[in-house]
Amino acid sequence: MNSFEENAKQFWAWLQSLLNDLADSVAGSSLDFNAVSGYYTLILRWIFPLLSLAIFLCCILPLLRVKKTQTVWGYLDMADGTRKPLNHWENSMGRSKLSDIVVDFAFASRNHAVLTFQSGAWTISDLSSKGGVSINGKRIEGSATVIFGDVISLSGLEMTLNPPTPANSSSGEVSQTSNSVGGASLAGKSSGGTSLAGNGAKDSSADNSGASNTGTKKNSANNNLTTGVSFKTGVTLALIVLSQLLGGLQIWISMGSDKKPSVPIAFATFIVIEIVYYFVTRRFSRKSFELELLSYFLCGINLIIVAAAFPDSMYKQLVAIVFGMAAYTALGIIMHDLARARKLKYVLAAGAILLLVLNLTIGETRHGAKNWINLGFITFQPLEFVKIAFVLAGTATLDRLLTKQNMTAFIGFSGACICALVLMRDLGTAVVFFGTFIVIAFMRSGDVRTIALISSGAVLGAIAAIVFLPYIATRFATWGNAWEFVNDAGYQQTRTMIYAASGGLLGVGGGNGYLVNVAAADTDLVFGMLCEEWGLIVALIAILIILFFGIYAVFLTKSCRSSFYAIAACGAASVYLIQTGLNVLGSMDILPLTGVTIPFVSNGGSSMIASWGLLAFIKAADGRIRQNKLAGASGQDDIAKNRPGDTGRKGAHK
C-alpha cells in the first residue's frame, strides 16, 4: 500500500511538472500567444452557447417524448356498476379529491384507507378512519391481505377487487389471469416496455430515452423489448465532453503565465470519471441517462466557474463531485426498496437533528451565518446534507399513513430544523426548508386551510425576525434599493448587475470577467458571474436545466408507482427551484440577497454532494426503472397461496 502511494505521488508530481513545462514553453515561444488566445476566445464565445443549447435539447426532448401511460394493476368495481382503475402500487382511498381512488360517500373519511401491491400481494390498511374497513363482511384492524374477488367495504360502501382484463393488456396494462390453483399470474406488457411474465420474470425494461433503436432486439418468445446502449445518449455525452474540453482550455489559456496544472488535470480526470460511470451504469442497468447527462453538463460549468475563481480548489471540487455521484448511486439503490427507504427515515431524521445540534454548538460563523463545521482536515456545511434527510424523512412520514400523529411529527421535525436555521442566521436556507415543507405537506394532505394557517404563522415569524434581528432588517432595507447603497449594503448586487449586463448574450470569455473579484462571486452571485463570462444564453440554459428538473418531477407524478416516489421527487425539485430562484432573483435585487447556492453550478463541496443526492429522488420516480423487480413480480407464489376460499388470511395483522 505504501509502495502504491509513493508511486501515485511520483506520477502526480511528474504530471504537474509536465504541465508546468508545457505552459512555460508556450509562454516562452515566439508565437503571439495573446493573439491566439484572443481568437480562440472569440470563436468559443459563439460555439459554446450553441453547444450548450444542443446538449440541452438532446437531453430534454427524449424525456418529453416518453409516453406516461399508466399501468392498470387491477380494478375496483363499485356496486353501481362504475369501475375504478388501480394505477399505482399504493392507492389512497377517501373523500379527498387528492386521493387516488376518490370515494363520493358521505360516511367515508377524507383519507380512509390505502390499497398497496407489494411482494406479489394486495394489502389494505385502515388510516384510522371513523367508519372502518371490512373485507367480505369482516372488519379489520390495521392491515390485512386482499385477493381478487374480495369485497372491500369503506364505512358501508362496498367495492370488489378484480384483476385487469386480458383485453386491457394490449394497451399497456398488466394482465392478471387466474390459473389452475386459483391464484394469478402476471403476463403481458406494462408501460415502459416492462413485461411481468410469471414467477421470477427477468427485467426487460426498454430504454425509453427516445433515442435510436439500432440496438433493439425483439424477443419473439415473450414479446419483450430489450434495448442496448442508446446511440443518441452517447452522442450527447460526446458533446458534453467536448464542451468541457473547450471550456477548460479557455480557462487555462486565459491564465497567461500563471497557469495552474490543477485545471487541466481536474477536467481530464472528471471526463474520464463521467465516461466510465456512464458505460458502467448502462452496462448493468438499462435505464435512461438524460438526467445524469444534464448533471454532467452542470458539473462542467461548475468546474469552469471554480477554475476562474479559485483554481487551487479544483481538486477539492472534483472530489466533491465524485462523492456526490457516489451518494446519488447509493441513494438510488436504497430508493429501489420502498420498505428500506421508509425505515431509513428515523436514522436520517436523527442524523439531521444531530448535525444541527453540532452546527449550533461548534459551528463557525462565515459571512454572518453560523453554518460551517471545521474539523481541521475538512470543512463542510451540514445543512446541505440535512436537505436530503429532510426530503426523505418527510416523504416517508406522510406518503402512506397520513394521520394527525404523522403530520404532527413532520411539523415538529420541520419546525426544529427551521428554528435551528434561524438561530444560525441562515435565513435563505430556512426559506428553502419551509417551502419544501409546504410542498410535501400539501401533496399528501391537500388541506388548503391547514397549509394557509401554517403559512400565516410563518409570515408572522418572518415579520418578528425582521423586527428583532438587525442583520435581516438591513437586508430588507436594501431590497429594491441596492443602487442607493452602491458602496455599502448593495455593493454585491450592484456589481453583479453591472458585470452581468456587460457580458451580453455571449459573454467576455472564461477567466476574463471582473465579478470574480467580488466576494461570493462563485457561490451566492454565481448567476452574475456566469452571465458575465459565458453570456446570458449559457446562464439561462443552466437555469432552464434546473427548472426542467422541477417540471420533469411533476411530469413523473402521473405515472409514479407509489406516492412515496412522487412526493420525494417533488420535494427534491422544490429544493432545486427555491434555491435557484432565491439565488438568481437575490443577486439581481428582485428579492433580498439570502446567500443560497444554485444546485450543481455554485462552488462548494457540500452543495455539490447534496445536489447529486437530491437528484436520486427524481430519478427514482421514473417508472422506467426495473418495474418488475420493484413491484415484487417474483412473489407470484404468494398470490397463489391466497386463493379464494382460504380460511386464513396470510399477512393480516393488527
Side-chain angles (χ1 to χ4, degrees), residues 206-218 225-235 278 282 286:
D207 185 346
N208 295 314
S209 60
S212 172
N213 292 325
T214 56
T216 303
K217 298 179 179 179
K218 187 172 183 179
L225 293 179
T226 304
T227 305
V229 175
S230 169
F231 176 73
K232 184 171 288 187
T233 55
V235 171
Y278 170 81
R282 298 303 297 263
R286 293 184 291 272

Side-chain angles (χ1 to χ4, degrees), residues 191-325:
S191 63
T194 301
S195 175
L196 308 183
N199 187 25
K202 296 181 179 181
D203 176 39
S204 59
S205 300
D207 185 346
N208 295 314
S209 60
S212 172
N213 292 325
T214 56
T216 303
K217 298 179 179 179
K218 187 172 183 179
N219 189 334
S220 59
N222 56 13
N223 199 32
N224 296 331
L225 293 179
T226 304
T227 305
V229 175
S230 169
F231 176 73
K232 184 171 288 187
T233 55
V235 171
T236 306
L237 178 63
L239 293 176
I240 292 173
V241 170
L242 179 61
S243 71
Q244 293 166 354
L245 288 173
L246 295 176
L249 181 60
Q250 160 62 43
I251 295 295
W252 199 51
I253 65 175
S254 68
M255 294 179 175
S257 59
D258 191 26
K259 291 181 171 59
K260 302 289 185 179
S262 59
V263 174
I265 292 176
F267 272 99
T269 304
F270 177 60
I271 288 173
V272 172
I273 291 173
E274 64 185 358
I275 292 175
V276 171
Y277 186 86
Y278 170 81
F279 282 103
V280 170
T281 303
R282 298 303 297 263
R283 172 62 180 84
F284 294 100
S285 175
R286 293 184 291 272
K287 302 183 248 182
S288 61
F289 208 80
E290 290 84 3
L291 295 181
E292 291 88 343
L293 291 175
L294 289 172
S295 302
Y296 282 175
F297 176 69
L298 293 179
C299 286
I301 291 179
N302 171 266
L303 290 178
I304 290 173
I305 294 294
V306 175
F310 296 101
D312 293 333
S313 300
M314 290 292 292
Y315 298 143
K316 181 188 73 174
Q317 195 64 18
L318 176 63
V319 171
I321 293 175
V322 173
F323 273 98
M325 295 171 67

Side-chain angles (χ1 to χ4, degrees), residues 73 76 86 88-93 100-101 112-127 133-135 140-148 150 152 154 161 176 338 342 400-401 561 631 635 638-639 642 649-654:
W73 300 89
L76 288 174
L86 299 173
H88 311 282
W89 295 353
E90 289 186 333
N91 302 270
S92 57
M93 309 167 69
D100 298 316
I101 305 296
H112 199 109
V114 60
L115 187 61
T116 307
F117 181 71
Q118 191 173 6
S119 299
W122 286 99
T123 302
I124 191 167
S125 302
D126 188 358
L127 303 183
V133 177
S134 299
I135 302 177
I140 68 169
E141 296 182 14
S143 302
T145 301
V146 192
I147 59 176
F148 293 140
D150 281 347
I152 301 171
L154 306 183
L161 177 65
Q176 297 188 23
L338 191 58
R342 284 180 176 140
R400 183 180 178 190
L401 301 179
R561 44 199 187 279
D638 295 333
I639 297 180
N642 290 313
R649 290 189 177 274
K650 296 178 176 61
H653 62 276
K654 296 182 179 181

